[in-house]
């Protein structure tokens, strides 16, 4: 298969999304005065749903994030309450797609935590998580909710493992252990039956998550992959990365054959990461550069040239990360098809950017709002773990699209201290990876050896005493 290099020139073609434009919210509709984290980890540090905006903040001692009701725009007070139960920096946060006041966070303290945000937002600092999940031996960099199953959460740690948590029982039920370096990105196909990952070992993998089997693997030497996204039901993957000439690049892959990319396209010579976002309803791909203010957008099709450039949204303010509003939270009366929440670190500002299809009519535009995955899960954890796959439960944005889910989260009662997955106790059999971990383990083992030696010496003395007593009994005149 030959790799076709695409021209940077836009190819004009008939498309209803050709004139989509980005509209920045007025200052009073932005969120201001937020101490956005200065952490250099390549995540978005932001998560948004139809009710709340969550942002990881800069904090001394431990990690914290803000949760702000969407209608509470404007300046945020410096003493605004935070979610601050982690002992280390928070590295990723994600809202539950089916219960809109449940959020997962992961941290440098090796834990994953599940939080329940009260109705109307926080009134005081929240330190107690609904559920604390311990199973990783090193910091946890990524969390992802399963797209169709309720209470199934994936976490990827710096121990190179992906754990699958069943939150109904509060334990990891599967472990994916096929990576040889840090996992950079995880993405699911539409029904969640496949997981794709990018890794620091320069490999792109398509994995069957329940068995942990690697179905496809690409060794990306020329195109060093950073981020990957499944393109809905097209059986295609899109990756962003760096070419051998250190230019930013995207590549399109067939998910069933990763031997060669279908196309590669160089974007520009900037150094920041490219974050890809895909909208399966409009077949639009958005590419946002970290550290610059540009968002390019394309239309994706199943036939050549596969990728058609539409336009570019430009802004002088660089973005650190971007949150994305779920479809049911968009303003359909304004023909809004996508909404970003842009983190502008220098100004402590979160700026909503709406992508709008220009239409004259005020009526509901059926052609740009097809049925879309809604807020009802298609499966229970036991059904999914038992091998069942089901497409998302769809909803129309025309009828009652503001309806909130009636589901509630019930935290399991946990007593077990060991975490056994695939026959391995994750909290016990952990090889040290840093000098500090090695020293800690060494001193712990020294203490254990000292205690065991003392115990052994006491037992030796007791054995000698019993032997003497036995000898005395045998030599006593009564036994003669």
């Amino acid at each position: 298969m030959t790799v076709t290099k695409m021209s940077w020139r836009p190819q004009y073609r008939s498309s209803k999304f050709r004139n989509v434009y980005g509209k920045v919210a007025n200052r009073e509709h932005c969120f201001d005065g937020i101490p956005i984290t200065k952490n250099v980890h390549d995540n978005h540090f932001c998560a948004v749903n139809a009710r709340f905006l969550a942002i990881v903040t800069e904090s001394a001692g431990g990690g914290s994030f803000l949760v702000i009701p969407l209608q509470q725009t404007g300046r945020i007070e410096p003493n605004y309450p935070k979610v601050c139960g982690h002992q280390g920096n928070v590295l990723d946060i994600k809202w539950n797609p089916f219960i809109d006041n449940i959020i997962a966070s992961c941290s440098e303290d090796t834990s994953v935590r599940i939080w329940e945000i009260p109705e109307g937002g926080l009134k005081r600092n929240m330190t107690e998580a609904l559920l604390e999940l311990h199973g990783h031996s090193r910091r946890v960099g990524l969390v992802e909710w399963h797209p169709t199953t309720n209470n199934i959460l994936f976490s990827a740690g710096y121990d190179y493992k992906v754990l699958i948590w069943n939150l109904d029982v509060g334990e990891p039920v599967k472990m994916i252990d096929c990576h040889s370096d840090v996992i950079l990105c995880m993405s699911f196909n539409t029904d969640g039956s496949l997981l794709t990952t990018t890794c620091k070992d320069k490999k792109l993998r398509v994995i069957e998550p329940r068995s942990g089997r690697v179905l496809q693997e690409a060794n990306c030497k020329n195109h060093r992959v950073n981020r990957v996204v499944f393109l809905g039901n097209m059986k295609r993957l899109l990756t962003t990365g760096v070419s051998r000439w250190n230019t930013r690049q995207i590549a399109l892959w067939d998910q069933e054959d990763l031997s060669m990319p279908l196309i590669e396209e160089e974007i520009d010579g900037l150094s920041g990461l490219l974050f890809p976002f895909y909208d399966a309803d409009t077949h639009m791909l958005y590419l946002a550069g970290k550290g610059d203010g540009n968002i390019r957008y394309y239309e994706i099709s199943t036939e050549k040239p596969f990728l058609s450039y539409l336009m570019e949204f430009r802004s002088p303010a660089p973005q650190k990360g971007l949150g994305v509003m779920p479809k049911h939270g968009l303003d359909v009366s304004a023909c809004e098809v996508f909404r970003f929440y842009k983190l502008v670190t220098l100004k402590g500002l979160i700026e909503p950017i709406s992508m709008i299809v220009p239409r004259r009519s005020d009526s509901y535009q059926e052609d740009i709002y097809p049925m879309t995955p809604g807020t009802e899960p298609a499966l229970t954890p036991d059904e999914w773990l038992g091998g069942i796959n089901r497409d998302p439960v769809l909803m129309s944005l025309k009828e009652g699209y503001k309806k909130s889910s009636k589901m509630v989260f019930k935290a399991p009662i946990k007593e077990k201290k060991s975490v056994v997955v695939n026959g391995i106790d994750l909290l016990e059999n952990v090889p040290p990876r840093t000098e500090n971990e090695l020293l800690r383990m060494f001193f712990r083992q020294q203490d254990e050896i000292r205690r065991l030696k003392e115990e052994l010496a006491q037992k030796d003395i007791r054995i000698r005493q019993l032997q003497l007593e036995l000898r005395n009994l045998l030599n006593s005149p009564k036994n003669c």
Side-chain angles (χ1 to χ4, degrees), residues 11-300:
Q11 288 155 337
Y12 291 107
R13 50 194 281 282
S14 162
S15 166
K16 57 187 147 194
F17 302 112
R18 199 172 122 190
N19 296 312
V20 167
Y21 65 96
K23 183 183 178 188
V24 181
N26 297 333
R27 192 66 188 238
E28 62 268 23
H29 293 123
C30 295
F31 300 83
D32 204 353
I34 293 169
I36 299 164
T37 179
K38 294 183 175 65
N39 195 308
V40 294
H41 198 72
D42 282 331
N43 275 352
H44 292 295
F45 300 112
C46 176
V48 65
N49 65 15
R51 286 175 63 193
F52 298 108
L53 171 68
I55 311 107
V56 179
T57 60
E58 191 65 20
S59 61
S64 61
F65 59 96
L66 287 171
V67 176
I68 306 164
L70 277 188
Q71 65 276 13
Q72 198 179 322
T73 54
R75 189 151 195 87
I76 304 300
E77 293 303 313
N79 57 352
Y80 194 87
K82 295 181 175 76
V83 178
C84 50
H86 280 287
Q87 275 92 53
N89 287 329
V90 174
L91 297 179
D92 198 13
I93 47 175
K94 295 277 162 57
W95 289 105
N96 184 320
F98 309 115
I99 311 172
D100 50 15
N101 66 332
I102 298 291
I103 190 167
S105 63
C106 63
S107 161
E108 288 182 351
D109 66 10
T110 76
S111 74
V112 176
R113 300 185 191 210
I114 309 298
W115 310 86
E116 184 176 27
I117 306 302
E119 201 71 34
L122 299 176
K123 300 287 179 277
R124 62 186 69 84
N125 281 357
M126 182 180 273
T127 53
E128 287 296 311
L130 207 55
L131 204 52
E132 280 187 35
L133 306 172
H134 295 278
H136 287 285
S137 60
R138 299 188 72 201
R139 57 184 166 162
V140 189
L142 296 169
V143 281
E144 287 290 343
W145 294 91
H146 192 274
T148 60
T149 310
N150 189 34
N151 283 350
I152 290 282
L153 183 74
F154 285 60
S155 63
Y158 275 60
D159 51 7
Y160 313 157
K161 293 176 176 63
V162 176
L163 293 183
I164 306 176
W165 303 85
N166 178 354
L167 302 187
D168 281 358
V169 294
E171 297 290 342
V173 285
K174 302 277 177 190
M175 178 170 71
I176 299 169
D177 194 11
C178 60
H179 300 88
S180 59
D181 210 325
V182 176
I183 298 138
L184 301 172
C185 183
M186 296 190 285
S187 176
F188 291 98
N189 65 343
T190 308
D191 66 2
S193 60
L194 294 175
L195 171 74
T196 178
T197 62
T198 57
C199 181
K200 253 191 176 166
D201 63 12
K202 301 188 177 75
K203 286 184 179 170
L204 170 67
R205 294 173 175 89
V206 175
I207 300 162
E208 201 292 308
R210 283 167 291 217
S211 65
R213 207 156 48 89
V214 179
L215 306 178
Q216 287 287 325
E217 189 175 274
N219 208 339
C220 308
K221 284 180 178 163
N222 296 338
H223 166 77
R224 292 201 307 279
V225 287
N226 282 321
R227 291 289 177 274
V228 61
V229 64
F230 258 109
L231 301 181
N233 282 330
M234 285 187 179
K235 300 207 166 175
R236 299 269 194 273
L237 303 171
L238 185 120
T239 57
T240 67
V242 182
S243 74
R244 63 172 91 174
W245 296 282
N246 276 347
T247 55
R248 296 200 290 195
Q249 191 182 46
I250 57 174
L252 188 69
W253 308 77
D254 180 340
Q255 76 179 41
E256 288 167 359
D257 177 14
L258 297 185
S259 56
M260 285 284 276
L262 297 171
I263 54 166
E264 284 177 348
E265 181 177 356
E266 287 182 17
I267 302 297
D268 58 30
L270 299 177
S271 58
L273 194 74
L274 273 179
F275 292 119
F277 302 91
Y278 180 65
D279 179 1
D281 296 346
T282 59
H283 304 300
M284 280 176 72
L285 169 78
Y286 300 86
L287 293 178
K290 184 180 177 180
D292 60 73
N294 305 339
I295 302 172
R296 297 170 175 85
Y297 33 109
Y298 301 77
E299 199 167 6
I300 298 216

Side-chain angles (χ1 to χ4, degrees), residues 16-25 282 284 286 297 311 313 330-340 352-360 365 368-369:
K16 57 187 147 194
F17 302 112
R18 199 172 122 190
N19 296 312
V20 167
Y21 65 96
K23 183 183 178 188
V24 181
T282 59
M284 280 176 72
Y286 300 86
Y297 33 109
M311 210 149 1
F313 167 82
L330 298 179
D331 182 359
V332 294
S333 63
C335 295
E336 183 184 35
V337 287
F338 215 74
R339 191 191 304 160
F340 293 103
I353 303 168
S354 298
M355 309 308 290
I356 291 169
V357 180
R359 295 272 169 104
R360 289 210 175 119
Q365 307 290 311
I368 59 173
Y369 296 115

Side-chain angles (χ1 to χ4, degrees), residues 344-474:
V344 187
T345 317
L346 299 172
K347 298 179 183 173
L349 185 72
I350 313 290
E351 202 174 56
I353 303 168
S354 298
M355 309 308 290
I356 291 169
V357 180
R359 295 272 169 104
R360 289 210 175 119
S361 167
D362 288 339
S363 63
Y364 179 73
Q365 307 290 311
E366 209 107 15
D367 60 327
I368 59 173
Y369 296 115
M371 295 284 279
T372 191
T375 54
E376 297 297 321
L379 294 163
T380 64
D382 290 340
E383 285 173 329
W384 184 76
L385 291 164
I388 300 171
N389 294 321
R390 213 171 277 156
D391 282 333
V393 178
L394 301 180
M395 70 192 290
S396 165
L397 297 186
K398 185 179 186 179
E399 308 298 334
Y401 69 97
K402 292 289 183 198
K403 270 195 314 191
S404 62
S405 172
K406 298 287 181 283
M407 298 191 68
V408 289
F409 183 85
K410 288 191 181 72
I413 296 155
K414 292 178 72 178
E415 286 172 7
K416 268 171 64 180
K417 285 291 173 211
S418 64
V419 179
V420 180
V421 181
N422 300 5
I424 301 166
D425 190 331
L426 297 176
L427 299 180
E428 283 297 319
N429 300 307
V430 174
R433 292 183 186 274
T434 65
E435 201 174 324
N436 281 345
E437 277 179 38
L438 191 65
L439 281 169
R440 269 205 305 274
M441 194 170 276
F442 171 73
F443 290 127
R444 207 181 301 136
Q445 285 177 344
Q446 291 290 93
D447 289 343
E448 184 74 359
I449 290 165
R450 203 175 294 119
R451 190 182 60 76
L452 289 169
K453 276 183 177 172
E454 282 170 12
E455 216 172 283
L456 205 58
Q458 293 294 327
K459 283 183 177 165
D460 277 347
I461 293 165
R462 184 73 184 130
I463 287 166
R464 277 203 294 277
Q465 282 175 341
L466 288 168
Q467 281 173 335
L468 278 169
E469 281 175 29
L470 189 62
R471 201 174 297 141
N472 289 341
L473 273 170
L474 290 170

